[in-house]
Amino acid sequence: MAKTGYSAITPAAVTLAAGTARSVLGVLAPASFGLEIKKIRIGTLGTASGVPGDIELCTATFATNPPGTADSTGVTPQQLYGRPITPGFLAASAWAATKEPTVLTPVDYWPLTPNGATVLYDLPLGDSPDCGTNTGFVLRAKFAAAVSITACLWVERC
């Protein structure tokens, strides 16, 4: 079966407040297909004095504040491979601190230094999480000190 893949990238660095978890990037599948995460890219722009923070990959029902609302910055997914087809799903970044998406369930977690760290993770074949229709994924971050972060998710329709 031919796959079609897309990337969703934060359009600008997302500034995190000290000690506050924030949704950095999220994708929401439509009613017609699910999404499978293939790659995760993260970069931090912090200071040398910062202590490691927490990064979470969460599943999301987006019961409130889904991508496409005024509570986040819209992201236009870019097609990377496969037959040309309109993405058909929504993506967003930088949710307002008081308007976080709801019903998030962490499925993966890792600590990350704020000192110019980079994560380039290609999920192994057969180990990549997927979501059903009308649900999605969110990358969340929390650091002890204020940090700016960029992120990218590569997803496939499934």
Side-chain angles (χ1 to χ4, degrees):
M1 176 164 98
K3 298 281 186 169
T4 304
Y6 304 88
S7 68
I9 302 171
T10 53
V14 177
T15 302
L16 308 177
T20 303
R22 187 163 183 204
S23 297
V24 175
L25 181 65
V27 292
L28 171 61
S32 54
F33 59 84
L35 295 172
E36 179 180 7
I37 294 185
K38 302 306 283 183
K39 301 178 186 221
I40 298 171
R41 309 286 189 249
I42 299 171
T44 60
L45 309 163
T47 64
S49 63
V51 297
D54 301 324
I55 304 292
E56 292 179 330
L57 174 64
C58 302
T59 58
T61 67
F62 291 108
T64 59
N65 305 321
T69 65
D71 301 320
S72 58
T73 301
V75 172
T76 302
Q78 299 299 312
Q79 185 169 351
L80 302 171
Y81 53 88
R83 293 192 176 117
I85 186 168
T86 302
F89 66 92
L90 297 174
S93 72
W95 273 263
T98 59
K99 300 290 186 172
E100 286 283 311
T102 56
V103 193
L104 302 177
T105 304
V107 294
D108 202 355
Y109 155 87
W110 57 97
L112 187 64
T113 179
N115 308 330
T118 301
V119 172
L120 302 173
Y121 185 54
D122 297 358
L123 283 89
L125 184 62
D127 289 345
S128 52
D130 62 22
C131 67
T133 59
N134 297 313
T135 62
F137 294 99
V138 169
L139 276 174
R140 286 176 49 88
K142 180 180 177 182
F143 288 84
V147 172
S148 292
I149 188 168
T150 59
C152 175
L153 290 174
W154 284 35
V155 298
E156 284 183 353
R157 298 163 65 109
C158 64

